[in-house]
Amino acid sequence: MTYDTQPLDLYDLSREALGELLASWGAPRTLTLELWHALYRQGATSFETLPLPEALRARFAAETRWHIPQVVDRLEAPDGATRKDLLELADGQRIEVVLLRYRQRRSACISTQVGCACGCVFCATGGMGFVRQLTPGEIVAQVLHFQRELAAQSESLSNLVLMGMGEPFLNYENTVAALRQLLDPQGLGFPPRRITVSTAGIAPGIKRFAEEGLGVNLAISLHAATDALREQLMPINRRYPLAMLFEATRAYTAKTGRRVMFEWALIAGVNDSPAQAEALVAQVAGLPAHINLILLNPTPTYPGRPATPEAVAAFTTVLDAAGIPHTMRQRRGSAIAAGCGQLRARERAFGLLRPL
Ligand code: SAH
Ligand code: SF4
């Protein structure tokens, strides 16, 4: 907890912390699990509905906060498969969350910060600058927001990506605390393999994350494989240049035995050359890696254009020749979830989304 001095939000409490709070109030510890189930399995949204004796309920209401983020704006793709909600937090700040329905999949893309300090030139969130960290509870609340809605339709979230606004590893503690709450088998019990955390390449964060033992997937936004180019696109590369980034990534794969995904938004004439593909092949040599290619989504603040089909073909030919696994994501669907901080810009660029 880093950002305010108000009483803790109920969603900020780990199950252990909730147990300690109840114990400090002289309440039976057995209540912890009932309360936890109400919060994470039944999707309770008000103190009145909590399974508690009246006096304890009143004490919770008096001594804790419980903010359920409210939808203040909603955009839906014409096919109805993708929806973005703008959620308002207790202090009036707003964050974007995306729900994606694709066949049996129900994926949520959630945010970890309001704004972002990294300033990647192609990113609409980067253009906002950093506003503030999200608390663990505010991260968790985004997932419960969709989970409640899906449960009402006898569905549930199947996948979760931390690819919305913000850089998860510059809000490290709160992000990891939120993940632990979401993974807790006594609560939502989200399967770790169905969660993906995406980082712009905060090398110390990657190393630290390897030690957490969470078992979730890691994606690294690479976008360029030479320092000269990556620096231009992602200023964070000056602090954590490619050598540091890959040293951390190798430590991560060695420790976890897990494959990493590299995100690469193809920008015409910028990072879509066979030379960049060769550099990428050299960087990932020997790493258990998968390259997620995506076409740049144009934003009003960046003049870059998506790569042409010819350039994409030449780029992937180099990867294929080297035997590097890769997929190209479609602009609709998962491509939207890959950068939900950019949806507002995408809406303008493509008329892809319409206000409800
Ligand atoms: N800060 C983290 C996670 C949020 S951004 C990170 O950078 O990884 C989620 C993904 O969207 C990242 O891979 C990011 O590089 C990508 N992205 C941002 N702007 C984009 C754009 N205009 N077109 C395509 N992908 C974009
Ligand atoms: Fe921040 Fe990620 Fe956008 Fe870069 S791409 S500015 S790290 S949110």
Side-chain angles (χ1 to χ4, degrees), residues 227-261:
D227 282 318
L229 180 59
R230 197 162 187 269
E231 237 159 63
Q232 286 174 29
L233 299 176
M234 305 178 73
I236 195 75
N237 194 77
R238 276 182 224 123
R239 197 140 140 229
Y240 306 114
L242 288 167
M244 271 175 87
L245 172 57
F246 276 92
E247 193 257 323
T249 306
R250 281 173 206 285
Y252 174 90
T253 56
K255 172 78 192 176
T256 62
R258 314 279 329 267
R259 189 179 71 152
V260 286
M261 282 178 282

Side-chain angles (χ1 to χ4, degrees), residues 7-8 19 80 214 217 230 244 267 279:
L8 282 184
L214 296 178
N217 304 304
R230 197 162 187 269
M244 271 175 87
I267 313 169

Side-chain angles (χ1 to χ4, degrees), residues 113 115-127 164-167 199-200 221 223 234 236 342:
Q113 299 181 313
C116 182
C118 293
C120 303
V121 296
F122 46 79
C123 173
T125 305
M165 300 168 81
E167 168 47 50
T199 176
S221 301
H223 305 308
M234 305 178 73
I236 195 75
Q342 295 78 41

Side-chain angles (χ1 to χ4, degrees), residues 76-307:
E76 197 155 355
D79 63 1
T82 309
R83 198 184 83 210
K84 180 187 86 166
D85 286 344
L86 199 61
L87 295 182
E88 191 163 277
L89 306 172
D91 65 350
Q93 289 294 340
R94 293 169 171 200
I95 49 170
E96 296 183 4
V97 288
V98 173
L99 177 66
L100 225 121
R101 296 166 192 264
Y102 181 69
R103 297 199 181 144
Q104 299 313 321
R105 275 191 183 210
R106 302 287 176 267
S107 308
C109 174
I110 62 165
S111 298
T112 55
Q113 299 181 313
V114 184
C116 182
C118 293
C120 303
V121 296
F122 46 79
C123 173
T125 305
M128 283 175 65
F130 174 72
V131 180
R132 75 163 169 85
Q133 306 286 22
L134 294 184
T135 65
E138 286 169 335
I139 299 172
V140 161
Q142 299 170 58
V143 180
L144 293 174
H145 165 69
F146 288 128
Q147 182 60 25
R148 271 191 298 269
E149 173 187 331
L150 290 170
Q153 301 159 20
S154 303
E155 294 184 333
S156 63
L157 272 184
S158 58
N159 296 75
L160 181 63
V161 294
L162 279 66
M163 291 191 180
M165 300 168 81
E167 168 47 50
F169 289 171
L170 292 181
N171 187 15
Y172 188 89
E173 279 87 4
N174 292 356
T175 298
V176 168
L179 287 173
R180 288 195 195 285
Q181 277 167 238
L182 296 169
L183 291 165
D184 183 353
Q186 297 291 350
L188 215 50
F190 219 99
R193 299 288 186 269
R194 292 177 177 268
I195 301 181
T196 301
V197 176
S198 177
T199 176
I202 313 300
I206 293 171
K207 281 192 174 172
R208 201 174 156 193
F209 202 59
E211 304 296 325
E212 304 285 351
L214 296 178
V216 306
N217 304 304
L218 181 67
I220 297 171
S221 301
L222 197 59
H223 305 308
T226 53
D227 282 318
L229 180 59
R230 197 162 187 269
E231 237 159 63
Q232 286 174 29
L233 299 176
M234 305 178 73
I236 195 75
N237 194 77
R238 276 182 224 123
R239 197 140 140 229
Y240 306 114
L242 288 167
M244 271 175 87
L245 172 57
F246 276 92
E247 193 257 323
T249 306
R250 281 173 206 285
Y252 174 90
T253 56
K255 172 78 192 176
T256 62
R258 314 279 329 267
R259 189 179 71 152
V260 286
M261 282 178 282
F262 291 100
E263 304 285 314
W264 193 288
L266 288 156
I267 313 169
V270 175
N271 65 353
D272 62 347
S273 63
Q276 273 296 316
E278 301 279 6
L280 170 58
V281 167
Q283 292 286 5
V284 302
L287 262 182
H290 183 98
I291 316 295
N292 272 330
L293 300 169
I294 176 181
L295 287 175
L296 177 82
N297 287 283
T299 67
T301 48
Y302 178 62
R305 306 304 305 167

